[in-house]
Amino acid sequence: MESISRISSILETARDLTLEAAQNASNARGFRPSNTVNSALPLSSLKKLLDSRHERDVLEGLRKVIAMLYRPSSPPTSPLFSSVIKNIASPNPTIKKLVYIYLLHHSESQPDLALLSINTIQKSLSDSNPHIRALALRVMSGIRVPVISQIVSLGIKKGAGDMSAYVRKAAALAIPKCYKLDPATKPQLEEYIATLLGDRQYFVVGAAVMAFLDVCPEALHLVHKHYRGLIRKLVDMDEWGQLAVLRLMVDYARRCFPRRVTRGNNSTRQGFYEDGASEESTGDGEEIVVLDPDLRLLLDACKPLLQSKNSAVVVSVARCYLYLGTPTYIELSIGPLISLLRSAQDIQHIALYNIVVVCLAHPLPFTKYATHFLVRTNDTPQIWRLKLEVLTLIFPHSSTHIREVILCELEYFSRSSDPALVRESVRAIGRCSQSDPRTSLRCLRLLLKQISSQDGTLVAESLTVIRHLIQQDPTAHTKTVIRLAKNLDTATNPQARASIIWLVAEFAGAGGEHNIAPDVLRILAKGFAEESEPTKLQIILLAAKVYCHHLNRLNATKSSPTALESPINTQAHPPSSPTVTPSDAQKPPDPIPALWTYILLLARYDTSYDLRDRARLYASLLSIPSSTHLASLLLLAPKPSPHIPSPSETRRNFLLGSASLVIGTDAGVLGLPGYTPLPEWVEKGREPPPGLREEGGGAAGREELGNLEKGGMTVREALRPGSTAAAARGGRESENGAGGTAKHVSLDDWLAESSGQEEEEEEEGESASEEEMTEEEEEEEDDESEDEDLIGREPEAQRLVT
């Protein structure tokens, strides 16, 4: 009978294979028969297929139901829930998988019916097939019904101890789902995570680290004894596991390894076989970064990951080196980061954001890769903006040849037909001149060539940058301002004209009466009505500054000794005509007051509210010719030299590789929801003992934890950074020597040490009690002497009263 049943099953399998082959052949020829998976059947026909006794019919019905789930125009499949769920006990693994997919899709809409299948799923946790056990655990944790949270927790406990690594990985992936289902199960889940972190299979450990980061990222005491094991398995993990472990290690290292920096006279580097912490130095008298041996173990284990095909892994390694390592390690990550620029444009975009942040902190290693940041014709605006920014960051650190290449590149793109590219190129030239004063003259000459261009955008941006350059050294650019003033006849861009007028007004006091500012004001007053509003505002400012300088010269002449000897005309004058001496009466009247009055009249009848208010303000300041102190403070105050920051300066505080770094200021000050900033380095003396990172906790670590438990403190409180026990532990470590390894103490030594401490405490208590007794006796004697003195003074007081 067994042979007959086996033959019948073989025949059915062959029949199914033949039917599938025929369907595939018909689909390849363009025919779509009515019984294919893609054909839509009425719900009654599907129900008959699901209720059939033959597995082939049930499998065909389930395939059609699953196809209807993801087809937008299909009718709802929820009426078939009972017919589908009853097949969950089928021995066929394919049928079970399809039923589990359907159950995950409809468990939220029909939780009561989904609960009916929990018993069958629990039975599947004991199936002989590990794939069925893992799938059952996955489905159980995917049913988002809070009532079954304890059942899911028990299933995870059973899966965490399973013999199959595949099932243990499924248990690790189910832990975050159970935590979201019921946060009250967190203590139980932490125990399961602690067990899975010590697993021997690397793909199980990677899933356990993901669960750790989602459930209890602050419980670093669970990681101590698995620290070195995680680092050893790092190379063998998949990309997702590597990303999770690297993210965990950055936080762990910042909270558990203090940043030790010393100063030395010579560059020292310890040998390979020497004990203790390794050292690096960059020169005589400079800082030496002392790396902990466990931290160096992590940094060295990350080196092979720089060759990963996954760009996210390369960025994560660069993040470890940037926030944990020394400049030597950072230089190792520069080349792999540059190689990401050969990827697709979306990867280039994300990689350039991270490259800019690294370049802001360490621009020197990028100088030899300057040619990789030259703009290409097929680059998108987002990419060439970041490339131009990197070129300006490495410009002051590059050689003379590279500087010439960068300036020629920027000059070429400043003549582009794209206004955005022209604007960014001119701004980049300004940042280059600001970062390296030796090239400011070269950059100024490049920008002055662009003033005669017919492109208004180019002229406006060039003049804005020229204004910033002139403000850095005003005395050396007087002739440059005169040259710019000559371009007012040809400049048509409102922003360009406004920049030139502002520069002329800024230099209105240079040269005294021989300045060109009054003549420029006379020419501009003729066409004041046809100017744009930004230009009119600058013309009014120019008139106010010219008139203020004129009044200051008159007041200085009157206050001089020669002016004091001559008679002064005390007749009152209107604000527009300052007081003059009789010696000046024969001279022709100065045109500056007349120009000032004319400009005020033009502004008074202008249609712009801002222009009229500004003119009224300046007229009030200069209404009293003999008192111009307030006007001079407001109009003639020295301007600080402008600083043009890098466009990505606001992003440098975000964590490398995070989404908040890419989004920038749009993500807010605190970043996107869920963003965790980089923790600060733990203070020296507050870090956990190195013995805890020994395999299994280490003898020194167990000794330390035993002492803490005897003192009435929990392990988690003791290991928390900033606790008193951690501080005391750090003090003992500093006495034994910084950077050394943990000293292993035997049981006899520990008992002797504890008994000695008890004797010292008893002696200290006795001495304290004796000191208290002596103090009390001295206080009693002092009180008695005071009473005797009072008794002796009473007769004298009575005599004085009588």
Side-chain angles (χ1 to χ4, degrees):
M1 294 298 294
E2 293 181 1
S3 60
I4 294 174
S5 62
R6 188 178 302 174
I7 291 171
S8 62
S9 63
I10 293 173
L11 290 175
E12 282 215 11
T13 305
R15 181 172 175 271
D16 294 339
L17 292 174
T18 305
L19 290 175
E20 289 181 3
Q23 290 177 2
N24 294 333
S26 62
N27 290 334
R29 294 177 181 177
F31 295 104
R32 302 183 64 86
S34 60
N35 59 346
T36 59
V37 175
N38 294 328
S39 60
L41 291 178
L43 297 181
S44 58
S45 301
L46 288 175
K47 193 171 183 180
K48 290 181 180 179
L49 290 174
L50 296 173
D51 295 338
S52 176
R53 296 182 180 181
H54 301 285
E55 290 184 356
R56 182 175 56 82
D57 296 337
V58 174
L59 187 59
E60 185 180 356
L62 287 173
R63 286 175 177 172
K64 291 182 180 295
V65 170
I66 299 300
M68 292 171 63
L69 287 177
Y70 301 100
R71 191 183 303 154
S73 59
S74 299
T77 58
S78 53
L80 301 173
F81 193 89
S82 57
S83 300
V84 173
I85 292 303
K86 71 178 183 180
N87 294 305
I88 197 171
S90 175
N92 191 333
T94 307
I95 292 178
K96 274 193 174 182
K97 292 178 183 179
L98 295 176
V99 172
Y100 286 160
I101 293 172
Y102 181 88
L103 181 60
L104 289 174
H105 196 275
H106 289 284
S107 58
E108 290 187 6
S109 60
Q110 298 184 5
D112 296 333
L113 293 177
L115 291 176
L116 298 176
S117 60
I118 293 298
N119 293 331
T120 306
I121 298 175
Q122 281 185 297
K123 292 179 181 178
S124 299
L125 292 176
S126 303
D127 196 274
S128 58
N129 190 346
H131 292 276
I132 297 298
R133 298 198 300 269
L135 188 59
L137 188 57
R138 176 189 170 190
V139 173
M140 185 186 295
S141 61
I143 299 176
R144 299 173 185 176
V145 181
V147 182
I148 64 170
S149 59
Q150 294 297 329
I151 299 176
V152 176
S153 178
L154 292 175
I156 293 174
K157 180 179 180 181
K158 186 174 182 180
D162 198 276
M163 296 295 293
S164 174
Y166 188 77
V167 180
R168 297 198 298 272
K169 180 181 179 180
L173 295 175
I175 289 176
K177 299 178 183 178
C178 182
Y179 176 70
K180 294 177 181 178
L181 198 64
D182 185 8
T185 58
K186 183 177 180 179
Q188 307 170 12
L189 299 178
E190 286 186 1
E191 297 179 2
Y192 308 152
I193 291 173
T195 303
L196 293 171
L197 285 175
D199 200 279
R200 294 183 178 181
Q201 296 294 333
Y202 56 87
F203 51 86
V204 178
V205 174
V209 173
M210 295 180 191
F212 175 85
L213 293 174
D214 289 339
V215 177
C216 52
E218 73 285 348
L220 295 180
H221 61 279
L222 301 177
V223 185
H224 290 314
K225 61 181 179 180
H226 306 299
Y227 174 80
R228 297 175 184 173
L230 290 174
I231 293 176
R232 285 196 299 267
K233 300 182 184 74
L234 181 61
V235 181
D236 299 327
M237 293 182 184
D238 59 339
E239 288 85 355
W240 299 109
Q242 290 171 351
L243 292 175
V245 173
L246 290 174
R247 176 185 164 195
L248 169 64
M249 289 306 163
V250 171
D251 292 344
Y252 181 88
R254 300 276 292 197
R255 295 179 180 179
C256 298
F257 300 123
R259 192 69 166 178
R260 296 185 177 93
V261 179
T262 59
R263 291 187 176 273
N265 296 326
N266 298 319
S267 299
T268 58
R269 186 185 296 273
Q270 293 191 359
F272 182 79
Y273 293 100
E274 295 183 15
D275 297 331
S278 56
E279 300 178 355
E280 285 192 10
S281 176
T282 56
D284 296 342
E286 297 186 3
E287 292 183 350
I288 301 175
V289 179
V290 182
L291 295 178
D292 190 275
D294 286 331
L295 179 57
R296 179 170 285 277
L297 179 66
L298 169 63
L299 298 177
D300 291 338
C302 293
K303 289 181 182 179
L305 301 184
L306 292 172
Q307 303 176 6
S308 175
K309 296 180 180 180
N310 193 312
S311 57
V313 176
V314 176
V315 174
S316 297
V317 175
R319 176 174 56 193
C320 283
Y321 286 166
L322 179 63
Y323 299 130
L324 305 179
T326 58
T328 304
Y329 285 100
I330 296 174
E331 291 179 5
L332 295 176
S333 62
I334 301 300
L337 284 176
I338 299 297
S339 65
L340 298 179
L341 299 180
R342 303 189 187 98
S343 306
Q345 287 187 350
D346 53 346
I347 297 178
Q348 287 186 49
H349 189 200
I350 304 300
L352 278 169
Y353 275 117
N354 294 276
I355 288 173
V356 168
V357 173
V358 179
C359 192
L360 285 170
H362 302 276
L364 188 59
F366 288 91
T367 54
K368 58 183 178 181
Y369 301 104
T371 55
H372 291 77
F373 300 103
L374 299 180
V375 180
R376 302 178 183 272
T377 55
N378 58 348
D379 287 341
T380 60
Q382 295 82 6
I383 292 177
W384 55 250
R385 279 193 183 94
L386 294 172
K387 284 188 174 181
L388 292 179
E389 185 176 359
V390 175
L391 289 177
T392 58
L393 290 175
I394 66 177
F395 180 80
H397 306 277
S398 303
S399 61
T400 306
H401 172 68
I402 297 298
R403 290 180 199 165
E404 291 293 330
V405 171
I406 294 175
L407 288 178
C408 291
E409 184 80 3
L410 296 177
E411 182 183 5
Y412 173 78
F413 285 110
S414 65
R415 302 191 187 97
S416 174
S417 59
D418 187 359
L421 182 57
V422 170
R423 189 182 302 111
E424 291 297 329
S425 300
V426 174
R427 290 175 182 175
I429 293 175
R431 291 198 298 270
C432 290
S433 62
Q434 175 182 281
S435 60
D436 189 6
R438 294 173 296 177
T439 59
S440 59
L441 293 177
R442 166 74 188 281
C443 296
L444 185 60
R445 286 195 296 268
L446 286 177
L447 296 173
L448 288 174
K449 292 179 183 178
Q450 314 297 340
I451 296 177
S452 59
S453 175
Q454 299 298 325
D455 189 356
T457 305
L458 174 59
V459 175
E461 290 297 332
S462 300
L463 284 171
T464 304
V465 177
I466 289 172
R467 178 168 60 87
H468 293 167
L469 295 178
I470 291 176
Q471 283 185 261
Q472 294 177 4
D473 190 7
T475 58
H477 295 91
T478 305
K479 295 183 179 179
T480 306
V481 176
I482 298 174
R483 179 180 174 182
L484 291 174
K486 295 178 182 179
N487 289 274
L488 282 173
D489 297 334
T490 57
T492 57
N493 188 278
Q495 192 65 33
R497 294 179 65 83
S499 297
I500 295 176
I501 297 171
W502 187 91
L503 284 172
V504 173
E506 195 67 18
F507 284 82
E513 296 181 355
H514 303 286
N515 195 276
I516 64 170
D519 198 30
V520 173
L521 178 61
R522 178 185 59 82
I523 297 172
L524 292 173
K526 296 178 182 180
F528 182 85
E530 288 78 17
E531 298 286 351
S532 62
E533 184 175 349
T535 308
K536 290 180 181 180
L537 290 172
Q538 295 303 323
I539 292 174
I540 293 177
L541 178 61
L542 172 62
K545 288 186 177 181
V546 169
Y547 186 58
C548 185
H549 282 298
H550 172 69
L551 295 179
N552 288 338
R553 285 195 297 269
L554 289 180
N555 294 331
T557 304
K558 288 187 294 184
S559 62
S560 62
T562 58
L564 292 174
E565 294 174 359
S566 61
I568 302 175
N569 187 9
T570 58
Q571 184 180 358
H573 294 276
S576 61
S577 59
T579 306
V580 296
T581 61
S583 60
D584 296 334
Q586 299 177 356
K587 295 182 179 180
D590 200 313
I592 294 179
L595 278 173
W596 169 242
T597 306
Y598 180 67
I599 293 295
L600 289 180
L601 289 174
L602 291 174
R604 180 179 181 180
Y605 297 102
D606 197 86
T607 58
S608 174
Y609 292 97
D610 295 337
L611 197 64
R612 296 199 299 266
D613 293 341
R614 189 75 59 89
R616 193 178 298 113
L617 171 65
Y618 293 154
S620 301
L621 286 173
L622 299 170
S623 60
I624 304 176
S626 60
S627 177
T628 58
H629 299 290
L630 182 59
S632 299
L633 288 175
L634 181 62
L635 297 174
L636 308 180
K639 308 299 188 296
S641 178
H643 176 73
I644 308 175
S646 183
S648 297
E649 193 71 30
T650 56
R651 303 173 186 264
R652 67 184 309 170
N653 294 327
F654 289 116
L655 195 64
L656 195 72
S658 61
S660 299
L661 172 65
V662 178
I663 296 177
T665 54
D666 295 337
V669 180
L670 302 177
L672 295 173
Y675 171 77
T676 304
L678 184 71
E680 297 293 336
W681 288 99
V682 64
E683 297 180 6
K684 186 178 180 180
R686 295 179 179 271
E687 72 274 10
L692 291 175
R693 287 186 289 274
E694 297 289 341
E695 296 296 333
R702 288 194 299 270
E703 173 199 350
E704 184 75 21
L705 295 179
N707 293 336
L708 293 173
E709 290 175 355
K710 288 185 178 181
M713 184 180 293
T714 63
V715 176
R716 182 174 298 181
E717 293 176 353
L719 295 180
R720 185 183 297 117
S723 63
T724 56
R729 180 168 61 251
R732 291 195 296 272
E733 288 181 2
S734 61
E735 293 176 359
N736 296 333
T741 56
K743 182 179 179 183
H744 298 278
V745 185
S746 62
L747 180 61
D748 297 334
D749 295 339
W750 181 78
L751 292 174
E753 183 180 355
S754 60
S755 60
Q757 291 178 357
E758 293 175 357
E759 292 176 358
E760 290 177 0
E761 291 177 357
E762 292 176 358
E763 292 177 358
E764 290 178 358
E766 292 176 358
S767 61
S769 60
E770 291 177 359
E771 291 177 358
E772 292 176 359
M773 291 294 293
T774 53
E775 290 178 358
E776 291 176 359
E777 292 175 357
E778 290 177 357
E779 290 177 358
E780 291 176 357
E781 292 177 358
D782 294 339
D783 294 339
E784 291 176 359
S785 61
E786 290 178 0
D787 294 339
E788 291 175 359
D789 293 340
L790 292 173
I791 292 170
R793 293 175 182 173
E794 284 180 358
E796 295 179 0
Q798 292 176 359
R799 286 196 301 270
L800 291 173
V801 172
T802 56

